[in-house]
């Protein structure tokens, strides 16, 4: 039996909401730290700001992938409730939305490997 | 046979009875109509007229640019023309016309009799009409805005744009946005809560998914621009320096606020148009859409990701490269959901048996044009390329490929598709095909070449250009193309006008479509359906071809009308199971006069006659409160709603009616506005080059703390009485409501005391100006909470509210919670954070 959460309609927005919140935090933190404590330009991309952003992005990606997997397994397992068809529809969409959130989070996060933060 | 005849006769009698309750008045009283069919058509016709005006402006500009060094139009007028062209097409045509189409179609597609807040629809229309007329009057008077449709500061401040030109834009567009947001709220709640019995989320027509996401995007996307417009108008009219670098502001803040709205706006326009494509393609391919779930996934993803792209409009302003890369990546990733939809459409065509009626021509044209627009979009997402072509005609060409391809072509496809629904007649096939080909050829001649003009370096928004730069030929070709396109659009219009008189009768469901809107009469009656069918399926008209007849005969649910109420089902947002009967309000003058009073406010602010503005505010408030009083627990409604066995209660007898959903969605929009204010505060604090904060916080924390505690007490008390109502207890309800209002009033007084004893000088620094805006925002919400609670106390005295009808008090509860949350969040950000910052 899967946790009921994977069939909850919140799944239709959850994964990408997590991404957008992380994106706001990341963009805000970048602006703040570049203004307050900018690392030397010569360090290139390998600065503490980029490292922190990358670790954060990987962590959020991991969470989103975990949730995507939960939803996917929930969608495959089926359930016996009256609204089974609707529940499976929601779980399937939840898997897709969490997965897409993970793809966007990681793609943006990997940029930290390439560019200096405050230039 | 006799039985069938009897059923038909009974159906005819029912139709007469329904018309008595739902019928539309004529003459002057037509201004009171709130029915979604009429309001939707009004939106579309008005938007269509503005499209023609915007098109005429474009023709004037293309005439001017056809040859080098022409002086047909002088530079100042040219500035007004390009500003108004963009403004009219974006704000007065694209969004309203799509909202109008959605308002017309959504209730019919989900098996409802009307939108859930019909008076709000009518109010939205009048706001749109009056706001548009105010804005357009500036063009007639020769004082139209002239700073480009995105109104960048400092060009739009009172130094570089003196006079009322910019004010027309700021006030007019804000007024129109009220209309857009009200439609967004209305559509969201209608789709979630008024679907017919059994229509679960997975059975919803795809257009409803598109409109749901569009509506939510409006709810979240428009508030940043509303805030930006308010701030810029406050800067111009009251000298509060939000965007003035010398006094601690930053013009880049305007760009952020504008594009936080502006980029989602592109998808707000594209999504409903894509919804039209997803609705029409299966019908003309004669098979269900391929990948329903994938398309829903794509719609939701597009809605979200489109909020993470706004900075790609600002790549040239000096943002750090890493931040640019975030937005560049998101801009490319948004192509994934769009790609999913494209492949689903192609697969539907591939696996179906397509028939190429006129709407299909426009759909194929859309696929071709939008794909080019999408590809140039990906090019523009690449930062170095973006730098090269920034502010050139390449961007203008890209924008038009996206907008015309992504919105106008599907819209016209939809117009041809639903024309028989609007009028009951078919258009002329020959005229329609001529119209399409001339528009298609004209469009591509104009804008394909314009990419080259941009790559050759011609900047946008120049009123003329010298000969010898290689720009002459492409400009001449573009101008010729523009006129060919105009002829094509004229033919489409001619076809539409003529079809009302000469079109052959369409009959029932002329395209053999699958969705419920074709189960109504064509043209439809104001009530849509005499009886509301169960719909646990995606293709009701394919699965039950006799649905139109059985609905008209009254063989499905909720076909009783002898009580004289306008009713529709209220259903579960996920499963579509019936929860309650929603009692809809009827025709009223209140929306018209409320919008009229607000337009009086808009005009008095425009001419800066503040005494008149005050009168208009009071008039608006009285009218809106009168509206809430009349709209309340429906004095005429009695307790007969359970007369038919198995029917649920009227929504006013429940705690979870549509009003609560409307309030929550309204607060989502409100929250987006508040977060935009906080964003502005933090942005200026961190990034503004000349931020000036005083040594100590200019507000005393003691009265603020007292004020906050009083507000929190009032909120908990209100929460407590709602809980008691849920338990069926309403003892001392009136007294408690009066007491809550009194505590709320004391909170307001303490807040005013804190403000009046502060050292804030709102015209001196951006710091003080932003705090003043936060205080005004708080006072507005707290004041309204007090007024609403006092009104509830009065309604208890009249017997309109109580344990038998607890609905309204439950609607007010989220407002109190929100007001309190905003208060403490503001306290944290404005008072505590700077202290922590300073001590760090």
């Amino acid at each position: 039996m899967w946790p009921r959460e994977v069939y909850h309609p919140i799944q239709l927005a959850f994964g990408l909401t997590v991404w957008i919140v992380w994106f706001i935090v990341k963009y805000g933190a970048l602006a703040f730290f570049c203004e307050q404590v900018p690392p030397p330009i010569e360090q290139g991309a390998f600065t503490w700001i980029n490292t922190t952003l990358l670790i954060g992005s990987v962590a959020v990606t991991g969470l989103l992938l975990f949730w995507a997997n939960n939803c996917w397994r929930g969608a495959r397992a089926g359930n016996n409730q009256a609204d089974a068809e609707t529940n499976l529809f929601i779980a399937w969409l939840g898997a897709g939305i969490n997965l897409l959130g993970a793809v966007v989070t990681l793609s943006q996060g990997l940029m930290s490997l390439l560019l200096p933060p405050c230039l | 046979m006799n039985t069938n005849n009897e059923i038909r006769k009974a159906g005819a009698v029912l139709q007469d009875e329904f018309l008595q309750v739902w019928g539309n008045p004529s003459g002057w009283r037509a201004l009171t109509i709130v029915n979604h069919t009429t309001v939707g058509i009004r939106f579309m016709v008005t938007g269509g007229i503005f499209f023609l005006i915007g098109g005429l402006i474009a023709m004037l500009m293309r005439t001017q640019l056809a040859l080098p060094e022409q002086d047909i139009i002088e530079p100042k007028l040219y500035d007004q023309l390009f500003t108004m062209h963009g403004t009219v097409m974006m704000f007065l045509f694209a969004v309203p016309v799509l909202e109008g189409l959605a308002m017309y179609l959504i209730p019919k597609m989900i098996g409802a009799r009307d939108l859930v807040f019909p008076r709000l629809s009518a109010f939205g229309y009048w706001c749109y009409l009056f706001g548009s007329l105010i804005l357009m009057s500036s063009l007639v008077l020769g004082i139209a805005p002239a700073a480009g449709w995105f109104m960048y500061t400092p060009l739009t401040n009172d130094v570089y744009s003196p006079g009322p030109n910019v004010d027309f834009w700021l006030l007019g567009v804000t007024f129109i946005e009220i209309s857009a947001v009200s439609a967004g709220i209305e559509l969201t709640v209608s789709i979630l809560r008024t679907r017919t019995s059994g229509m679960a989320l997975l059975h919803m027509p795809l257009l409803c998914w598109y409109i749901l996401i569009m509506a939510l995007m409006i709810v979240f996307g428009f508030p940043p621009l509303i805030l930006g417009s308010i701030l810029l108008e406050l800067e111009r009219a009251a000298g509060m320096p939000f965007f003035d670098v010398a006094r601690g502001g930053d013009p880049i803040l305007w760009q952020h606020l504008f594009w936080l709205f502006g980029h989602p706006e592109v998808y707000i326009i594209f999504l409903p148009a894509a919804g039209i494509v997803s609705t029409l393609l299966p019908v003309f391919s004669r098979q269900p859409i391929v990948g329903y779930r994938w398309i829903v996934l794509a719609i939701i993803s597009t809605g979200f990701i489109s909020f993470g792209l706004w900075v790609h409009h600002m790549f040239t302003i000096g943002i750090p490269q890493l931040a640019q890369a975030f937005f560049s990546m998101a801009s490319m990733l948004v192509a994934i959901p769009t790609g999913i939809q494209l492949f689903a459409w192609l697969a539907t065509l591939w696996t179906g048996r397509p028939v190429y009626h006129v709407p299909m021509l426009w759909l194929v044209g859309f696929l071709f044009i939008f794909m080019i627009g999408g590809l140039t979009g990906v090019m523009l997402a690449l930062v170095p390329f973006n730098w090269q072509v920034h502010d050139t005609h390449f961007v203008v060409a890209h924008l038009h490929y996206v907008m015309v391809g992504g919105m106008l072509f599907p819209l016209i496809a939809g117009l041809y598709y639903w024309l028989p629904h609007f009028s009951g007649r078919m258009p002329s096939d020959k005229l329609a095909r001529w119209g399409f080909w001339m528009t298609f050829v004209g469009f591509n001649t104009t804008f394909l070449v314009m990419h080259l003009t941009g790559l050759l370096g011609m900047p946008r928004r120049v009123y003329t250009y010298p000969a010898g730069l290689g720009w002459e030929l492409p400009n001449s070709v573009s101008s010729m193309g523009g006129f060919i396109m105009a002829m094509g659009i004229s033919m489409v219009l001619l076809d539409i006008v003529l079809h009302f008189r000469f079109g052959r009768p369409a009959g029932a469901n002329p395209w053999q479509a699958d969705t419920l809107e074709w189960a109504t009469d064509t043209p439809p009656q104001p009530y849509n359906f005499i009886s509301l069918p169960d719909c646990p399926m995606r293709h009701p008209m394919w699965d039950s071809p006799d649905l139109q007849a059985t609905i008209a005969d009254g063989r499905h649910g909720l076909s009783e009308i002898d009580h004289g109420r306008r009713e529709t089902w209220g259903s579960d947002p996920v499963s579509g199971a019936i929860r309650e009967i929603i009692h809809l309000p009827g025709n009223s003058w209140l929306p018209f006069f409320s919008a009229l009073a607000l337009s009086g406010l808009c005009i008095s602010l425009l001419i800066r006659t503040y005494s008149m503005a005050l009168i208009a505010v009071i008039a608006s408030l009285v009218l809106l409160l009168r509206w809430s009083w009349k709209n309340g627990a429906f004095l005429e409604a009695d307790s007969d709603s359970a007369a038919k066995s198995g029917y649920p209660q009227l929504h006013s007898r429940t705690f979870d009616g549509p009003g609560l959903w409307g309030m929550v969605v309204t607060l989502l929009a409100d929250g987006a506005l508040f977060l935009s204010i906080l964003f502005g505060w933090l942005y200026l604090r961190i990034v503004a080059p000349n931020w000036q904060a005083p040594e100590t916080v200019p507000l005393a924390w003691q009265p603020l703390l007292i004020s906050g505690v009083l507000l929190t007490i009032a909120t908990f008390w209100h929460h407590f009485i709602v809980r008691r109502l849920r338990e069926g207890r309403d003892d001392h309800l009136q007294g408690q409501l009066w007491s809550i209002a009194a505590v709320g009033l004391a909170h307001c007084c303490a807040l005013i005391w804190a403000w009046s004893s502060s050292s804030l000088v709102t015209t001196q620094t951006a710091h003080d100006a932003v705090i003043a805006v936060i205080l005004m925002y708080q006072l507005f919400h707290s004041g309204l909470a007090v007024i609403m609670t006092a009104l509830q106390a009065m309604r208890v005295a009249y017997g309109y509210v109580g344990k038998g009808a607890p609905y309204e008090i439950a609607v007010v509860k989220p407002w109190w919670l929100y007001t309190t949350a905003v208060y403490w969040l503001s306290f944290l950000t404005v008072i505590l954070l700077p202290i922590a910052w300073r001590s760090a």
Side-chain angles (χ1 to χ4, degrees):
Chain A
M1 202 57 163
W2 300 102
R4 282 198 53 77
E5 288 73 40
V6 301
Y7 306 123
H8 193 280
I10 192 83
Q11 295 296 344
L12 300 181
F14 188 70
L16 285 163
T17 305
V18 170
W19 160 69
I20 212 155
V21 169
W22 168 242
F23 185 41
I24 292 166
V25 169
K26 193 168 61 169
Y27 184 47
L30 182 67
F32 178 78
F33 291 117
C34 281
E35 200 65 30
Q36 300 293 319
V37 276
I41 300 294
E42 310 80 64
Q43 281 190 9
F46 298 99
T47 61
W48 68 272
I49 294 182
N50 282 23
T51 310
T52 311
L53 293 180
L54 185 63
I55 292 170
S57 296
V58 169
V60 174
T61 304
L63 266 178
L64 287 166
L65 286 174
F66 173 73
W67 290 324
N69 183 47
N70 266 1
C71 286
W72 177 246
R73 291 166 71 187
R76 301 259 303 188
N79 75 20
N80 303 319
Q81 295 176 12
D83 292 331
E85 208 186 357
T86 307
N87 287 344
L88 300 185
F89 175 73
I90 287 171
W92 189 92
L93 281 174
I97 286 162
N98 280 306
L99 179 65
L100 205 64
V103 170
V104 184
T105 306
L106 188 65
S107 309
Q108 289 182 320
L110 289 176
M111 293 296 110
S112 307
L113 290 173
L114 304 175
L115 293 164
C118 305
L119 183 61
Chain B
M1 181 69 92
N2 276 342
T3 316
N4 275 346
N5 282 340
E6 280 165 20
I7 290 171
R8 294 274 182 279
K9 274 183 192 166
V13 172
L14 262 179
Q15 187 168 343
D16 287 342
E17 290 173 357
F18 265 81
L19 276 174
Q20 280 178 16
V21 175
W22 286 85
N24 290 330
S26 55
W28 281 107
R29 294 193 66 79
L31 299 177
T32 66
I33 294 172
V34 297
N35 181 267
H36 76 105
T37 298
T38 305
V39 174
I41 289 173
R42 283 176 180 171
F43 262 107
M44 287 189 277
V45 170
T46 312
I49 291 169
F50 285 125
F51 170 69
L52 296 181
I53 294 172
L56 282 174
I57 294 173
M59 290 300 95
L60 287 173
M61 290 191 292
R62 281 308 337 158
T63 307
Q64 166 69 12
L65 293 178
L67 297 169
E69 293 170 31
Q70 292 204 99
D71 54 3
I72 302 167
I73 298 171
E74 59 166 11
K76 280 188 177 171
L77 178 59
Y78 190 85
D79 291 348
Q80 293 186 16
L81 291 180
F82 73 67
T83 303
M84 287 302 282
H85 172 71
T87 304
V88 166
M89 289 305 198
M90 284 295 198
F91 294 101
L92 274 58
F93 162 61
V95 175
V97 95
L98 289 168
E99 281 177 348
L101 187 66
M103 285 179 164
Y104 179 91
L105 285 173
I106 290 297
K108 297 174 179 74
M109 283 188 147
I110 59 176
R113 293 207 173 107
D114 205 336
L115 287 166
V116 72
F117 308 124
R119 291 184 180 176
L120 189 63
S121 327
F123 175 69
Y125 172 72
W126 295 121
C127 284
Y128 159 56
L129 180 68
F130 297 150
S132 304
L133 290 177
I134 289 168
L135 188 57
M136 293 307 292
S137 68
S138 67
L139 196 59
V140 179
L141 296 169
I143 46 173
W149 77 275
F150 31 84
M151 291 280 131
Y152 274 5
T153 56
L155 182 58
T156 47
N157 69 21
D158 56 349
V159 177
Y160 300 107
S161 292
N165 309 51
V166 170
D167 302 316
F168 271 103
W169 194 95
L170 296 172
L171 292 165
V173 166
T174 301
F175 199 26
I176 294 163
E177 283 172 346
I178 296 174
S179 154
V181 174
S182 65
I185 294 164
E186 165 101 282
L187 288 165
T188 303
V189 181
S190 295
I191 293 170
L192 290 177
R193 292 288 276 110
T194 65
R195 300 196 304 272
T196 194
S197 174
M199 188 184 275
L201 283 178
L202 77 162
H203 302 128
M204 276 204 317
L206 274 173
L207 186 70
C208 298
W209 277 105
Y210 282 98
I211 297 298
L212 176 64
I213 299 302
M214 173 203 80
L216 285 168
M217 288 178 71
I218 289 174
V219 164
F220 288 107
F222 275 56
L225 181 59
I226 293 175
L227 174 73
S229 301
I230 291 170
L231 297 187
L232 187 51
E233 188 56 30
L234 282 173
E235 179 170 302
R236 289 174 58 82
M240 295 165 80
F242 305 100
F243 309 109
D244 179 3
V245 175
R247 290 181 284 169
D250 191 344
I252 302 300
L253 175 62
W254 168 267
Q255 295 195 20
H256 278 293
L257 291 174
F258 185 88
W259 291 115
L260 263 167
F261 144 84
H263 197 81
E265 160 84 345
V266 174
Y267 291 91
I268 286 168
I269 292 167
F270 167 66
L271 280 180
I276 293 172
V277 180
S278 292
T279 305
L280 270 59
L281 266 182
V283 173
F284 292 111
S285 299
R286 294 183 288 174
Q287 77 134 17
I289 191 109
V290 173
Y292 177 96
R293 287 187 306 184
W294 284 95
I295 292 182
V296 175
L297 174 65
I299 301 165
I300 298 172
S301 316
T302 306
F304 271 96
I305 299 175
S306 69
F307 278 93
L309 320 179
W310 81 93
V311 167
H312 78 207
H313 295 272
M314 301 160 60
F315 277 161
T316 54
I317 64 161
I319 285 173
Q321 288 175 9
L322 182 58
Q324 290 189 40
F326 295 157
F327 288 95
S328 176
M329 186 50 75
S331 307
M332 285 185 260
L333 288 170
V334 79
I336 295 176
T338 310
I340 291 174
Q341 290 170 85
L342 265 174
F343 283 117
W345 294 330
L346 291 174
T348 306
L349 275 173
W350 186 269
T351 54
R353 293 167 292 126
V355 281
Y356 286 91
H357 292 299
V358 171
M360 275 294 270
L361 275 180
W362 290 93
L363 291 187
V364 174
F366 150 79
L367 283 173
F368 177 79
I369 292 173
F370 185 70
M371 203 143 66
I372 295 177
L375 289 174
T376 52
V378 175
M379 289 163 76
L380 283 166
L382 301 166
V383 178
F385 184 80
N386 188 295
W387 287 344
Q388 289 299 315
V389 297
H390 177 74
D391 258 351
T392 68
H393 272 68
F394 186 93
V395 177
V396 180
H398 159 73
L399 171 86
H400 283 82
Y401 264 84
V402 173
M403 288 294 150
V404 176
M407 183 267 175
L408 186 68
F409 272 61
L411 180 70
I412 298 180
L415 198 61
Y416 271 113
Y417 176 73
W418 282 295
L419 212 49
H421 200 281
F422 301 144
S423 65
R425 290 177 182 274
M426 300 298 280
S428 150
D429 199 59
K430 190 175 278 185
L431 262 180
R433 286 178 190 275
W434 270 98
F436 167 76
W437 282 111
M438 291 188 77
T439 308
F440 183 78
V441 171
F443 173 80
N444 284 294
T445 310
T446 307
F447 292 104
L448 197 62
V449 177
M450 200 180 280
H451 289 102
L452 178 66
T453 322
L455 290 173
L456 290 171
M458 181 168 171
R460 67 198 290 195
R461 296 176 175 174
V462 291
Y463 85 104
T464 190
Y465 52 92
L469 295 173
W471 301 346
E472 300 94 321
L473 183 63
N475 268 298
S476 295
V477 172
S478 284
S479 293
M480 279 190 288
F483 282 95
I484 295 170
M485 185 179 169
M487 284 190 274
I489 296 291
S490 307
M491 271 192 188
V492 172
L493 280 177
L494 185 68
D495 189 17
I496 291 170
V497 170
L498 290 179
H499 105 285
F500 282 103
R501 177 77 179 83
F502 301 108
R504 64 183 165 81
N509 197 2
W511 309 113
Q512 304 304 309
D514 58 334
T515 39
L516 263 184
E517 80 273 22
W518 293 101
T520 68
D521 289 348
T522 47
Q525 301 290 354
Y527 48 80
N528 292 339
F529 309 100
I530 279 187
S531 57
L532 304 180
D534 287 1
C535 193
M537 61 197 85
R538 281 186 195 152
H539 313 289
M541 294 298 283
W542 286 347
D543 296 342
S544 312
D546 62 341
L547 208 49
Q548 190 183 30
T550 57
I551 286 172
D553 293 343
R555 293 189 220 175
H556 303 276
L558 211 61
S559 58
E560 301 73 22
I561 195 68
D562 50 341
H563 44 61
R565 289 188 296 269
R566 296 185 177 193
E567 291 182 342
T568 196
W569 288 134
S571 49
D572 182 86
V574 177
S575 68
I578 298 305
R579 278 188 185 182
E580 70 272 287
I581 295 172
I582 294 176
H583 178 184
L584 298 163
N587 299 331
S588 167
W589 283 104
L590 283 163
F592 176 79
F593 282 117
S594 302
L596 203 60
L598 281 175
S599 65
L601 172 64
C602 187
I603 292 168
S604 48
L605 289 174
L606 201 53
I607 55 177
R608 301 195 180 173
T609 313
Y610 297 116
S611 53
M612 205 171 100
L614 187 65
I615 294 169
V617 167
I618 293 167
S620 309
L621 200 63
V622 168
L623 283 162
L624 291 170
L625 291 175
R626 176 71 185 154
W627 179 351
S628 81
W629 186 270
K630 291 285 287 181
N631 233 31
F634 304 111
L635 312 188
E636 299 81 11
D638 52 28
S639 55
D640 69 347
S641 61
K644 187 168 175 180
S645 155
Y647 271 17
Q649 290 182 307
L650 281 180
H651 77 268
S652 53
R653 271 68 174 163
T654 71
F655 280 92
D656 189 28
L660 181 66
W661 286 70
M663 173 62 87
V664 171
V665 180
T666 305
L667 290 176
L668 291 177
D670 205 357
L673 187 89
F674 177 67
L675 288 178
S676 303
I677 299 176
L678 287 190
F679 166 75
W681 167 254
L682 293 170
Y683 178 85
L684 291 177
R685 202 170 180 93
I686 295 169
V687 181
N690 194 23
W691 176 251
Q692 298 152 35
E695 282 301 310
T696 53
V697 178
L699 285 157
W701 64 268
Q702 297 91 335
L704 286 177
L705 204 59
I706 293 168
S707 179
V709 169
L710 287 169
L711 175 61
T712 310
I713 290 170
T715 301
F716 274 110
W717 199 344
H718 195 273
H719 182 77
F720 172 72
I721 62 165
V722 173
R723 208 173 66 189
R724 280 166 62 93
L725 275 175
R726 280 186 189 278
E727 293 163 0
R729 296 162 62 192
D730 64 353
D731 35 318
H732 311 299
L733 182 62
Q734 195 196 10
Q736 293 196 68
L737 285 168
W738 280 121
S739 306
I740 292 167
V743 176
L745 192 61
H747 143 75
C748 292
C749 292
L751 195 56
I752 293 168
W753 167 39
W755 191 355
S756 58
S757 60
S758 74
S759 57
L760 291 173
V761 186
T762 54
T763 54
Q764 207 161 46
T765 61
H767 173 274
D768 288 8
V770 178
I771 292 180
V773 166
I774 293 174
L775 285 168
M776 282 190 273
Y777 181 85
Q778 184 66 49
L779 275 171
F780 172 78
H781 284 79
S782 301
L784 214 50
V786 170
I787 292 171
M788 284 194 291
T789 308
L791 275 177
Q792 290 297 299
M794 287 166 69
R795 291 177 69 79
V796 173
Y798 280 88
Y800 302 154
V801 173
K803 64 182 175 189
Y807 166 71
E808 292 176 32
I809 296 181
V811 172
V812 177
K813 184 180 133 181
W815 186 273
W816 275 106
L817 287 171
Y818 175 81
T819 303
T820 309
V822 161
Y823 188 90
W824 290 116
L825 207 53
S826 303
F827 189 80
L828 176 77
T829 321
V830 175
I831 306 293
L832 300 183
L833 197 66
I835 294 171
W837 212 311
R838 217 168 282 123
S839 58

